[in-house]
């Protein structure tokens, strides 16, 4: 896993296996509904170039429900599913709403 301090949200979504391609990740972001909570300041993400850091919380609309995840690591590559699950932890989405 990378020691980089920040990573683009579209790249992270692909490497963490929330999207199959960067184009699909960008579409998810530009269609709206993806929010980023950075240091307690939530905001809607409108561009795929927004950067994430460890500890940030992403709220994603997936399969008809909101899913809130805390960024635990910034990967260097798209690895197997078991490796991808180590990149984030679940957060209670209702608490963030």
């Amino acid at each position: 896993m990378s020691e980089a301090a920040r990573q683009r949200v579209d790249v992270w979504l692909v490497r963490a296996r929330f999207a199959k391609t960067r184009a699909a990740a960008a579409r998810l972001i530009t269609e709206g509904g993806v929010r980023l909570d950075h240091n307690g300041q939530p905001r809607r993400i409108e561009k795929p170039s927004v950067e994430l850091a460890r500890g940030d919380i992403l709220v994603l609309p997936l399969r008809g429900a909101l899913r809130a995840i805390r960024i635990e690591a910034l990967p260097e590559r798209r690895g197997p599913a078991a490796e991808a699950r180590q990149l984030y932890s679940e957060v209670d989405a209702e608490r963030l709403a």
Side-chain angles (χ1 to χ4, degrees), residues 14-35:
V14 170
R15 292 178 180 176
R17 295 180 164 261
F18 284 98
K20 287 189 176 189
T21 65
R22 281 183 66 184
R27 192 168 39 259
L28 178 67
I29 294 163
T30 57
E31 287 176 354
V34 177
R35 291 181 294 166

Side-chain angles (χ1 to χ4, degrees), residues 11-74:
V11 171
W12 190 89
L13 287 170
V14 170
R15 292 178 180 176
R17 295 180 164 261
F18 284 98
K20 287 189 176 189
T21 65
R22 281 183 66 184
R27 192 168 39 259
L28 178 67
I29 294 163
T30 57
E31 287 176 354
V34 177
R35 291 181 294 166
L36 172 66
D37 186 336
H38 178 72
N39 295 329
Q41 299 174 344
R43 67 182 174 118
R44 184 174 303 263
I45 297 176
E46 297 177 0
K47 296 182 179 182
S49 61
V50 171
E51 293 189 334
L52 299 172
R54 288 186 64 200
D56 287 351
I57 296 175
L58 273 181
V59 179
L60 307 165
L62 297 173
R63 298 183 190 109
L66 289 179
R67 188 165 177 192
I69 54 173
R70 180 182 324 280
I71 309 302
E72 301 293 344
L74 304 173

